[in-house]
Amino acid sequence: MKLSELKNGETAVIVRLSGHGGFRKRIMEMGFIRGEKVTSVLDSPMHDPIKYNVMGYEVLLRRNEAAMIEVLPEEDAKRELSPAPTYNCISLCDSCATCNGQCGTTYRNATERRNVINVALVGNPNSGKTSIFNALANKNEHVGNYSGVTVDAKTGSFNYKGYRINLTDLPGTYSIAAYSPEEIYVRRHLYEQMPDIIINSVVASNLERNLYLTTELIDMNIRSVVALNMYDELLAKGAEIDYVHLGAMMGVPMIPTVARNNKGLDKLLDTVIELFEGKNNTIRHIHINYGSIIEEQIIPLSASMHKADDLPQQFPVRYWALKLLEKDKEALRDLDNCLELPRWKAMAEEAARQIQSQMGVDAETAINGAKYGFINGALQETYKPGAKDANRNTRRIDRLVANRWLGFPIFIFVMWAMFSSVFLLGAYPQEWIEKLFTWFGEAAASIIPQGAIQDLVVNGIISGIGSVAVFIPQILILYLFISLMEDSGYMARAAFIMDRLMHKMGLHGKSFIPMLMGFGCNVPAIMATRTIESRSSRIITVLITPFMSCSARLPVLILFAGAFFPQHAALVLMGLYLLGIVVAIATARLLRLAKFHKDETPFVMELPPYRWPTLRATLRHMWEKCAQYIKKIGTVILLSTIVIWFLSYYPRPEKGERLKVKGESEMLAQETESSKLKAQSKEVKGENFEQIAEETTISGINENSFIAMLGHAVEPVLAPIGQNWRSGIALITSIPAKELVVSTLGVLYSSDSDESITEDLKRSGDFTPRSAASFLVFILLFFPCIATIAAIANETGSKKWALFSIVYNTLVAWVAAYIVYAIGGLL
C-alpha cells in the first residue's frame, strides 16, 4: 500500500521508495528509509499535506509525495524484511525453503533477504530485448529480427539470489517521446508503474543510435543498467570499447551480454541487485550539458518549477522543464493538475522562441542534437571502431534478395516453397494421424454400444477433433517458415520489397509486416500495427489484415485444395494467399480515397543485419504455436464439436418416420439379404428398397435436425455461389474459430467407413471443383473470428470499425465467390 493511504494513528513499515533519484535522496535524508516505522499523525483539513512521525520526528509530506513511498503493516513487513533461512543450495528455488540444509552443498549468501525487485526492460527494436526477457524469465515470447514483435508489455517472474525479480518486457522503441504509440506506452508505464530498476538493452555494435534512449533515461533519473547486448558482434568487427569508463561517464553501469547464449546475464542481475541495494559505485545522476543557449533557458524554468508543491515526483524537475521546451503533449497531460502550469507554459514558449532565434532550429531539434553530441563525445574517449566490416555479408545478400528486379520474384519463390512444403512434407505425418484417429473411432465403436453415446463419440468427437488434428504437421511447417523469415531478418526485407506497392495503396512498407504476421494469426498481427505512427495508416492496416489467411484457415484451404485440386494444390494455396493480399490492397486504396486523406508518412524502418536463426528459438516458436493449436482443439473446438453434433442429431424422428441419414442407401444395397435389411424394411412399414434409396440423402446428419433447419435458412443466400445448406452450416460455425469449418464438415460428412474426410467430401457429390473454389474464396475473405473482431475494436478504439469489418468482409467474400463460381461455369 502507499503511505498516502495510511489512516490517522496507523503505523506501517517502509518497504520501498519510488520516484526519481533526487526525490528519493531527499526523502531518505528526512528519515524515510527502508525498514523504518512511520505513523500517520494528522491529515490536514484540505487532506494535503499530511503529518507523519518517523525516527521520532514529525514531518510534513504532500499527498503526491507520500504516494511515492510503499509501506506494509508491521506483521507483513516482518515477513518481507526478515532474514531468509539458511540454504545449502547453489541456486535458490521455491523448494529450498523445505530442504533444511540437507543437500550437502554451500549456498554463497546464506543471509540474503527475501525482496522483490520490479524491473522494466526497455530498448530499441532489434536490440535483443525480448531475448534477454526469454533467457531470464524463461518465457516463450517470440523473438523476431524486425521491429514490432513486442507490441504490449510481457511480464515474468523468477528467483535470483534470494530476490524475487518481476521483469516486464516493454515494446521496442527508439525514444521515449510522445510520437508513436509504443513510445507513449513505454513512458506511461515508467510514469505509472515506477519500476525499481530499468535494464536498458542496447546493440553493442551500434552504440551511437542506441544510446540516445539511454540519454532519455538519464534525464528521467531512473536507476538503470545498460546491457551491451550482442557483444560478440562488436568483437567480430574488431572493435574495442572501455565500457567501464563509458558507464562512469554516463553515470550508468554497463554490462556486456550475449542473450541468445545466456552470456553476461548473471553479472547483469548482480548489478540490478547492487542498484536496488544502493551498493553500485558507478550509478550517479548527471546533467547532460545542452549548451549555453539551451541551459540559459532551462535554469529559470527549472527554478520556477522547483518551488511548486504539486509537481509529480516520478521524474525530476529538469526533465519536466525539458519536456515543456519540447512542447511534449504527454508531459502537459501529466502536469495538468499543477496550479502554475499556465505560467510555466508561457515561460517555456518564450524560452523556445529564444532558442529558435539564436540557434536557427526549434528547441526539440536543438535538444536532440545536443544528446547526440554528448553520445559522440563519450564514444570518442571510450570506443575504437573495428577494421572488419561486419555487415559485408548482409550487403551482399541484399544485392540479391532486395534487388529491384529480382526481389519480388524471390519473394514469390519463397512463398511457393513454403506452401509446397506444407503439402509435400506435411502429407506423410497427416496420413499417420488420420490412421490413428480411424483406429480410435473403430476402437470406440467396438466398446460403446450402438446409440446416441456411440454416435457422439465416434461421429461427433473423434471425427470432428480428428479432422482438425490431422493438420497439425502443416501448421508446424507454416510456422517453421515464418519463424525462419522473422529470425533471419528476411521479413524486414519483404516489407522493403513491398514498399513501392504499399505506397500505391496509400500506405508504406511498415504496414506489410502486420500483414505478413497475419499469415500466422490475425490477432497479434493487428496488435503489431501499434508500431505504425500515422493513425490513418494504422486503422487501414488493421482493417485489411484479416484478409491475410491466418493459420486457422489453413486446414480448410489444405482440405479443399488437396481434395479437389490435388495436382495443383500448392499453386492453389499460394494463389489464395495472393488473392488475400490483392483484396487487401484494393480495400486499402478504397479506404484511402473514401475515408482518409492521403498520408505521406515516411517509410522509416530498420533493416537489421542477417542473423542465423537459433535452433532453440525456432523450435520454441513452433512448439508454442502448436501448443496453442492443440489447446484450441481441446477446448473451443471440442466444445463446439459436441454442440454441432447435438444440433445435428436432434430432434430424432417419431416412431414410423423416415430418418434421412448418410450412407443408408449404401448400407441397404450391401445388406439386401441380411436380417438388418428386413428389420429396416419393417421400420419403414413395407416400403421397398427403391423408395428408401430415393428418400435417403448423402448427408452426415438427420435432415430434420436443428442444424439442418438453420442451414436451410441460409441456403438461399449461398446458392448463387454454388453452396448448399451444409456448407452454410460450416461457415456459420466458423465465427468463433475458423478451424471449426473442418470439424463441422467432419461431423456433417462422417461415415462408417475408414475413409478420410477428404474422401468423404469428394464422395458426397456436394462439391465440384467449381463450388470448392467458390467456397475457398469465401472462407478466405469471410469476416474473421471473434477474437480478431475484438482486436479490431480495441486497436481502432471504436466498435464501428469492428462492425464495418464484419459487414464489408462478408460482402466482399460473397461477391468474390460469385465471380469465381461464374467464371468456373464459363470454363
Side-chain angles (χ1 to χ4, degrees), residues 210-494:
N210 278 246
L211 287 176
Y212 180 85
L213 182 59
T214 308
T215 63
E216 293 189 305
L217 296 175
I218 290 173
D219 284 337
M220 289 179 165
N221 193 15
I222 304 177
R223 289 177 292 182
S224 305
V225 54
V226 170
L228 296 172
N229 203 22
M230 307 179 200
Y231 197 75
D232 54 335
E233 294 184 5
L234 179 142
L235 298 177
K237 292 169 62 175
E240 298 177 7
I241 183 170
D242 186 349
Y243 56 85
V244 175
H245 187 199
L246 179 61
M249 293 176 65
M250 303 186 75
V252 182
M254 298 192 175
I255 308 298
T257 61
V258 184
R260 64 176 179 270
N261 297 328
N262 292 344
K263 293 182 179 178
L265 297 184
D266 285 343
K267 178 61 176 175
L268 182 67
L269 293 178
D270 290 341
T271 307
V272 167
I273 294 174
E274 289 175 2
L275 292 175
F276 183 72
E277 295 180 340
K279 297 179 180 179
N280 189 279
N281 296 323
T282 302
I283 190 75
R284 64 190 178 95
H285 180 48
I286 65 171
H287 285 176
I288 297 173
N289 191 330
Y290 290 104
S292 58
I293 296 175
I294 298 177
E295 291 292 339
E296 286 176 5
Q297 305 302 327
I298 293 176
I299 292 172
L301 181 57
S302 296
S304 176
M305 299 179 74
H306 193 73
K307 298 175 184 177
D309 293 325
D310 53 1
L311 193 72
Q313 298 298 330
Q314 284 89 339
F315 306 135
V317 175
R318 182 178 171 88
Y319 172 82
W320 295 119
L322 286 167
K323 291 302 161 185
L324 287 181
L325 282 176
E326 296 174 346
K327 300 179 180 179
D328 189 288
K329 294 180 180 179
E330 281 291 302
L332 290 173
R333 192 183 82 168
D334 294 333
L335 300 176
D336 190 54
N337 293 326
C338 297
L339 296 176
E340 295 292 318
L341 180 58
R343 188 165 68 87
W344 298 338
K345 287 173 64 176
M347 293 178 65
E349 289 172 2
E350 177 58 30
R353 280 195 291 270
Q354 292 293 332
I355 294 172
Q356 176 84 39
S357 63
Q358 295 182 55
M359 301 185 68
V361 294
D362 61 83
E364 184 178 11
T365 302
I367 291 171
N368 290 344
K371 287 182 186 292
Y372 279 110
F374 170 76
I375 294 169
N376 286 328
L379 292 178
Q380 285 287 338
E381 297 188 31
T382 58
Y383 180 71
K384 181 181 178 181
K388 299 179 182 178
D389 185 1
N391 292 325
R392 181 178 60 182
N393 291 334
T394 292
R395 285 196 295 272
R396 286 178 175 176
I397 298 172
D398 276 345
R399 289 195 193 105
L400 179 66
V401 302
N403 182 274
R404 180 180 180 183
W405 304 108
L406 297 178
F408 194 76
I410 290 175
F411 174 70
I412 296 297
F413 174 77
V414 170
M415 294 294 103
W416 173 83
M418 178 173 70
F419 296 129
S420 295
S421 299
V422 165
F423 274 102
L424 297 177
L425 299 181
Y428 299 104
Q430 180 182 13
E431 185 178 346
W432 303 334
I433 297 174
E434 284 179 350
K435 291 180 179 178
L436 177 64
F437 275 90
T438 299
W439 180 83
F440 283 152
E442 292 173 349
S446 64
I447 296 172
I448 304 172
Q450 285 189 352
I453 300 299
Q454 185 196 80
D455 199 82
L456 167 63
V457 174
V458 177
N459 296 326
I461 296 175
I462 295 178
S463 179
I465 295 298
S467 60
V468 178
V470 295
F471 296 103
I472 289 176
Q474 283 89 345
I475 298 292
L476 283 172
I477 294 171
L478 176 69
Y479 275 108
L480 169 64
F481 274 85
I482 292 177
S483 179
L484 292 176
M485 287 193 292
E486 289 177 350
D487 296 350
S488 66
Y490 181 74
M491 191 73 91
R493 270 69 184 184

Side-chain angles (χ1 to χ4, degrees), residues 198 654 705 735 742:
I198 288 179
E654 296 292 336
S705 63
I735 293 174
V742 177

